[in-house]
Amino acid sequence: MARIALLAYANDMKEEPLHYVEQEIKEVNLYFGNIKNHLNPDILISATKEDLFRYFADHGPDIEILHFSGHGNSMALFFTKDGVFRKEGLAELMTFAPHLKLVFLNACASREIVEVLHTPEPAQPQKGVPIVIGTHRPVYDKVASEFSIYFYTALTKSWPIGKAFDFAKTFVLSGEHFALFPKGTNRYVGLKRAAVMDDDEDEADDNGIFPWGLYYKTGITDEWSVTQYLHDKYEDNIKYAPNDDLIRALAYNASRLYSTLAKEKDQLIAALYDKADLGRKELDIEMENINDRFNRRNLQLKEINDLYAAYIRDPQGLSDIADKLINTFPLPLGKLLQRMYSFSKENLRTEDDYAEFLELQLNFYEILVKLAAATILSDLLEVYGLKEKYNRKVVLNPIQKEIILSYFRQTKDTEQDFDYTSFIEVISQVLKENLKDETEIDAFVKEYLHFERINTYENNFFNSHMVIKGIKAKIPSLNTTAAYIHHCKLIEQGLINLLKELFFILQYKMVVIKNVEAIRKRNVLAKTYFHRYMLLEQRISDRMEVMELQSLPEYAESYSVILVKEIYRMFEYLSLSPFLIDRNVLCEYDGVDLYFYNYTEGNGIVYKSLTSNERLMHILPETQEIDLGAATISKTTLPFIEEMGSKTDREKNRITNRLLQLHAEFGYYRSKIAATPATVESTTPINSQP
């Protein structure tokens, strides 16, 4: 769907019915067909005030024109079912449609409403509707309908708005004098009857002043054309290079992250010189260790930093930077970024091209926020465990607790609407509050503690989620190339805003642990741990080699997806299970098939594949009674997943036991949070400053 012209008609039957509203509906809607590629009409018939609020909640950012026809007076519009809508409330509602360009109030005596629509908040004069058409006295139903019809007849033929207004005015005045004020129903209602009465023709003429007025804010002129405005604003596919802004922003963030880490390295080296007990040789060894670890961990970031610096000096192309970024992102995101970037190398032309590109963008967004949510929740659960170890309690306020539990309680019907940005920011606040006085406990991913505030409407992190969520809901109704291009651009900007906060993920490595075995040589007490693992970074082939590492003095979590800071120190890790799992770990396959926790279903958990929304994996335990002769025991089993039909009984038992372990972990963590007493000392963390 293109941008929206909302046509709201209210015929309050408690007043005199308006007989020409239906004709106005049909004809205005017909004329908008001339510019359907730019602006689609959407009609609210017999509109109530509640209808208008619901519509703005769903489509506010897409509304460019609002037309109202019905009863009104200088203080309010009158909607169906006693819906008196005072002008102050109307003006405030209009602020939720930031692209609203024109409001046409085809009701009596609406001139006084114009002022408050232009500037709903005197302290913020930049807000308000740029163009308003209103009346300064009563208008009669038939004439009001005709004026509206002929105004939109011209406006939808790309005429400038001033010329369209004059065209409709000429039609009204082209008849005999009484045609301006014929006897009949007017569009005026209120506690006081109209000052102009039907039988007072001298006053009715009002010195020949035309009832309607066209009122502009500063900077708008009679030359404004709705089609030219929308064409300039949205049909700029020639100017739009998909992903270029995203790649530039990612490269900038990588450069900024690398500079921050380099400063931290320099601070560590500087601190060595303050240690009086270090000799020259020991100092050199420590410095070499710091430099070596820094270079190993941040080699890819350094390469992106160098490429970006070269690009700033000579902006030739982004392909080298894009390739390096693709190979640096964790596999699910890297693979999607690779597919998205391939579109920017092609000449996107058709609606179908942009529709496919938009779907890739939405998939990237979903994986990004779900990965961030799984990471920060896993970090919180680690802090829970460490707090228990030191006999300290985790502090939550009631709203924080409910938001965290809502993640575990997602259902098939609610998971599409889950707000991951609020979830991420709330947990960041909980971590910050619980670690501020700690000396022995720290978060694994410290960057989550840098969120300065929880969701506010000025917060780009939150707003980007809301914009992308709204676009996702509208995909079935998009039907023009211009509409797809516009929404692709909005999503790209949203991803830029989200990654500005989440980009630090590139300094961590995601790893699938296939198996861990303890190794001890004869007559040697010390053990080493043999790890079979896969590093989840984008590769040319989807089938990745299994890496082997034998020299670790400690071990990571077997059959899991983990996050590590350094690949050679995997025993320092953050487990993302049971919120992120690899089905191929269960089935002993050397590829990667990642699944995110999606929702709960009764006593079970449902996971969704990162590569297909249609591929789900259910962990739905079943209890069986086993007869042992004199007694019976209960045994928990699982229905077989797809690949298990060809497995041996031993393999089936191993896979079943691992899935049941994940199920038990999920329930344990949910119960742990539910059992945490909630305090009320903290401030409410949603839409307010912390």
Side-chain angles (χ1 to χ4, degrees), residues 251-424:
Y252 168 76
N253 286 331
S255 180
R256 185 184 63 171
L257 178 59
Y258 180 76
S259 297
T260 300
L261 295 172
K263 289 179 182 177
E264 292 177 2
K265 179 201 73 173
D266 292 340
Q267 290 171 357
L268 289 174
I269 292 175
L272 291 176
Y273 287 95
D274 295 332
K275 294 183 177 181
D277 57 338
L278 283 181
R280 182 65 191 179
K281 184 176 180 180
E282 290 141 325
L283 180 65
D284 290 342
I285 292 173
E286 289 295 327
M287 287 178 57
E288 185 177 346
N289 288 337
I290 291 174
N291 281 313
D292 182 55
R293 291 189 61 182
F294 174 81
N295 292 333
R296 284 205 312 256
R297 285 185 57 182
N298 303 298
L299 175 61
Q300 291 169 312
L301 285 176
K302 181 182 185 304
E303 292 172 342
I304 298 172
N305 176 72
D306 293 343
L307 288 170
Y308 182 65
Y311 174 81
I312 294 298
R313 291 191 298 269
D314 184 17
Q316 294 293 322
L318 293 168
S319 59
D320 290 341
I321 297 176
D323 290 342
K324 184 57 64 176
L325 283 165
I326 287 167
N327 288 326
T328 305
F329 268 100
L331 177 63
L333 293 172
K335 185 173 183 178
L336 276 171
L337 187 60
Q338 183 184 50
R339 292 180 63 190
M340 287 162 57
Y341 189 68
S342 69
F343 275 85
S344 63
K345 296 180 180 179
E346 300 168 359
N347 191 6
L348 297 180
R349 294 181 180 276
T350 69
E351 180 181 322
D352 289 341
D353 291 339
Y354 281 102
E356 184 178 351
F357 180 62
L358 187 145
E359 286 288 348
L360 290 174
Q361 290 178 307
L362 289 174
N363 287 341
F364 188 94
Y365 156 78
E366 182 178 5
I367 292 172
L368 176 66
V369 294
K370 286 187 175 183
L371 176 59
T375 303
I376 195 168
L377 178 58
S378 298
D379 226 341
L380 176 63
L381 296 172
E382 290 292 310
V383 169
Y384 257 93
L386 292 171
K387 284 266 191 176
E388 287 180 344
K389 178 180 177 181
Y390 295 108
N391 295 316
R392 298 167 194 161
K393 295 181 179 179
V394 171
V395 178
L396 297 171
N397 72 34
I399 295 180
Q400 291 169 336
K401 179 177 176 179
E402 184 58 32
I403 289 174
I404 296 172
L405 283 174
S406 68
Y407 174 84
F408 290 90
R409 295 169 178 164
Q410 292 181 79
T411 67
K412 186 176 183 179
D413 295 330
T414 64
E415 59 93 10
Q416 289 287 338
D417 296 322
F418 188 78
D419 180 0
Y420 284 94
T421 55
S422 292
F423 178 77
I424 292 166

Side-chain angles (χ1 to χ4, degrees), residues 592-610:
V592 173
D593 191 10
L594 293 180
Y595 284 68
F596 274 114
Y597 159 67
N598 200 29
Y599 59 86
T600 57
E601 187 174 72
N603 187 41
I605 311 170
V606 179
Y607 292 83
K608 183 168 72 172
S609 168
L610 290 182

Side-chain angles (χ1 to χ4, degrees), residues 31 152 251 281 343 388 403 471 494 552 566:
Y31 286 115
Y152 287 112
K281 184 176 180 180
F343 275 85
E388 287 180 344
I403 289 174
I471 293 171
L552 290 179
E566 187 175 348

